[in-house]
Amino acid sequence: MPYDTKQYDIKDVNLNDKGNRRIEWADNSMPVLRQIRDRFRQEKPLAGVRISACLHVTTETANLARALTEGGAELCLCASNPLSTQDDVAASLVRDYSISVYAMKGEDHVTYYNHIKAALEHQPYITMDDGADLVTQVLSERKDLIPNIIGGTEETTTGVVRLRSMAKNGVLRFPIISVNDAETKHLFDNRYGTGQSTIDGIIRATNLLLAGTNFVVAGYGWCGRGVAMRARGMGANVIITEVNAIKALEAVMDGFRVMPIAEAAKIGRIFVTLTGNKAVIRKEHFQEMQDGTVVCNSGHFNVELDIPALESLSKARRSMRDFVEEYLLRDGRRIYLLGEGRLINLASAEGHPASVMDMSFANQALSVEYLARNKGKLSNQVHPVPVEIDHEIARLKLRSMNVAIDDLNEEQKAYLESWEEGT
Ligand code: ADE
């Protein structure tokens, strides 16, 4: 289907009613973003700003889209993963909010990239990425768009890694705000969001009992910590694998067993990768796994699992239930791959709960406003979210939870700025 002749490409526009009510439900848990939306409606800080966004098309993203368009932005949205789109939400965004959306759950590789291309036909001034696919496309195939681009934002660790590599190699041609690095983003979204939604995805896909199972978490970054913490809370025997000595040490002191993946492969019952790297679980590991092992990924890309290697070891495949694919190995063992190795929290569940996305997307909205206000002033590097924005989001979130905190008094402020006073 040609991608430049339509205003949208979604599964079924008639799904909008269900999507609209679910968007409203998520909005109930997004008080910070709602406040920003209300201000944006009054002030229109994004008037005439064309934004192309490549995000997971979920109820939470829909509320970000509402905030941006209330601020005056002209938004075009495409999916940041072939399996994460909520088709009813896409329908509501098109029909109820008149936003161009190019996203369909289960879209193939070609359609995925056609949708990214379609979103860039919008000729953005600002790009908004979750995984850096838009920026990569601009820098490789749509360099003509660069002169008009004020900057971009990036939502996730994997995208920030790619963008920093672009900046280091001198190929990044506009400034990026790393939303992921805001404390009100990764401390909550990556940890508590991924923690809950990954367990949710595994359970919705399999309905397995976690209590008493050997549950292997590959990667002890913020996401891995969140999943490990929640799996332990469900009674699993959690094993961590790491390549970073400090993170491994932290996992040990957090009370987890730590071992190489080659050892874990022999005893794990459920495996989740959250490393941001590739081929973390590969042929030699699949060869060691027990019959009935469940393998999934909750990192951004499905390359964390070497799926071609699993295929090469298998003599047959069948779908056991939605998002559970059985691979029958030549020696008769069965390995179950969840959600095609795509991020399981969005493939078989609904992604992070709205309450954490509230802060992530407040950072997105305020970073876009910051980019628009600072047009031409930022270097072509990856920049942090300004610390004032980060703290303001935390204050607003606390206030929405009716949690009050203390203020420093003058004496304390002076003490913290001095060095003379000792024992
Ligand atoms: N990433 C993880 N969870 C998400 C969600 N609910 N919406 C958008 N992006 C996400």
Side-chain angles (χ1 to χ4, degrees):
M1 180 179 310
Y3 55 79
D4 52 359
T5 56
K6 290 177 69 184
Q7 291 301 302
Y8 58 87
D9 188 21
I10 61 172
K11 182 151 184 215
D12 179 359
V13 79
N14 297 312
L15 298 173
N16 67 307
D17 190 40
K18 181 176 177 209
N20 201 9
R21 279 177 284 128
R22 293 201 317 111
I23 292 167
E24 188 183 327
W25 173 256
D27 184 54
N28 291 342
S29 298
M30 304 182 86
V32 178
L33 190 61
R34 195 161 55 243
Q35 246 177 281
I36 293 169
R37 183 171 83 218
D38 291 342
R39 177 171 68 75
F40 276 13
R41 185 181 308 123
Q42 305 293 323
E43 298 178 7
K44 302 281 180 221
L46 304 177
V49 176
R50 285 198 297 267
I51 301 175
S52 295
C54 180
L55 300 172
H56 302 296
V57 180
T58 65
T59 52
E60 294 74 27
T61 300
N63 283 308
L64 171 62
R66 291 172 70 193
L68 298 172
T69 51
E70 291 273 9
E74 293 165 28
L75 179 67
C76 182
L77 177 64
C78 66
S80 61
N81 186 284
L83 261 192
S84 62
T85 298
Q86 297 171 3
D87 291 315
D88 57 341
V89 171
S92 177
L93 284 171
V94 168
R95 182 164 273 176
D96 305 319
Y97 296 100
S98 303
I99 292 170
S100 263
V101 181
Y102 297 87
M104 244 179 271
K105 188 168 180 94
E107 62 195 17
D108 62 20
H109 184 80
V110 171
T111 310
Y112 177 77
Y113 277 98
N114 277 346
H115 285 165
I116 288 180
K117 290 174 186 168
L120 289 176
E121 288 298 323
H122 188 53
Q123 316 247 340
Y125 301 135
I126 290 180
T127 61
M128 187 177 272
D129 254 317
D130 187 332
D133 280 346
L134 270 185
V135 174
T136 303
Q137 186 73 19
V138 169
L139 296 182
S140 52
E141 290 188 28
R142 291 304 307 269
K143 292 196 178 74
D144 57 300
L145 298 174
I146 294 171
N148 280 333
I149 298 182
I150 301 169
T153 63
E154 173 53 55
E155 170 77 6
T156 199
T157 317
T158 296
V160 172
V161 170
R162 291 175 90 189
L163 290 157
R164 289 228 162 88
S165 162
M166 290 173 196
K168 191 170 162 207
N169 288 298
V171 296
L172 187 61
R173 301 277 301 282
F174 45 87
I176 297 289
I177 307 286
S178 167
V179 166
N180 184 68
D181 292 337
E183 292 193 288
T184 47
K185 199 278 181 180
H186 65 262
L187 292 180
F188 305 96
D189 168 317
N190 300 29
R191 182 169 35 173
Y192 302 112
T194 309
Q196 179 165 321
S197 62
T198 299
I199 301 293
D200 183 18
I202 293 169
I203 292 175
R204 284 201 213 188
T206 64
N207 198 26
L208 287 173
L209 180 74
L210 300 194
T213 61
N214 282 347
F215 188 104
V216 181
V217 178
Y220 203 64
W222 289 112
C223 295
R225 286 173 192 152
V227 173
M229 178 171 48
R230 293 304 180 236
R232 175 154 69 187
M234 301 281 288
N237 298 315
V238 179
I239 296 167
I240 306 294
T241 73
E242 246 305 334
V243 292
N244 178 305
I246 297 174
K247 289 182 180 160
L249 186 57
E250 194 181 0
V252 171
M253 297 222 181
D254 285 344
F256 294 109
R257 290 165 79 190
V258 175
M259 63 184 74
I261 185 75
E263 291 303 309
K266 297 176 195 157
I267 56 175
R269 169 81 169 100
I270 300 175
F271 289 75
V272 195
T273 50
L274 309 98
T275 68
N277 212 326
K278 67 185 290 193
V280 176
I281 299 184
R282 357 178 236 281
K283 194 171 198 166
E284 64 263 36
H285 307 130
F286 292 124
Q287 278 167 329
E288 293 294 330
M289 286 178 180
Q290 296 172 33
D291 180 36
T293 299
V294 170
V295 180
C296 68
N297 167 54
S298 205
H300 187 78
F301 290 120
N302 63 347
V303 296
E304 303 214 12
L305 306 173
D306 188 350
I307 298 171
L310 180 58
E311 283 165 359
S312 76
L313 291 170
S314 306
K315 60 180 179 189
R317 260 172 77 172
R318 60 180 174 150
S319 170
M320 299 304 288
R321 41 191 274 150
D322 288 351
F323 307 109
V324 182
E325 187 84 356
E326 180 186 75
Y327 286 76
L328 181 62
L329 307 197
R330 273 187 279 282
D331 62 9
R333 279 176 302 132
R334 295 158 300 170
I335 293 182
Y336 296 101
L337 175 67
L338 306 188
E340 301 169 20
R342 306 278 179 200
L343 8 79
I344 194 62
N345 60 339
L346 282 141
S348 59
E350 295 171 63
H352 304 347
S355 179
V356 285
M357 295 313 294
D358 188 27
M359 290 186 279
S360 309
F361 285 163
N363 275 292
Q364 285 284 6
L366 297 181
S367 294
V368 166
E369 181 183 33
Y370 176 79
L371 277 173
R373 286 199 203 287
N374 289 280
K375 180 178 171 182
K377 294 191 198 150
L378 300 170
S379 61
N380 296 343
Q381 298 294 326
V382 178
H383 298 266
V385 173
V387 71
E388 308 77 49
I389 290 182
D390 211 353
H391 280 261
E392 179 62 9
I393 289 170
R395 270 192 294 272
L396 293 174
K397 189 70 178 176
L398 279 173
R399 196 191 304 159
S400 77
M401 300 165 97
N402 282 325
V403 176
I405 61 171
D406 295 316
D407 285 324
L408 292 172
N409 62 29
E410 292 309 317
E411 188 188 357
Q412 289 171 319
K413 279 188 206 160
Y415 178 73
L416 290 176
E417 282 166 15
S418 68
W419 52 270
E420 295 89 345
E421 225 179 297
T423 309

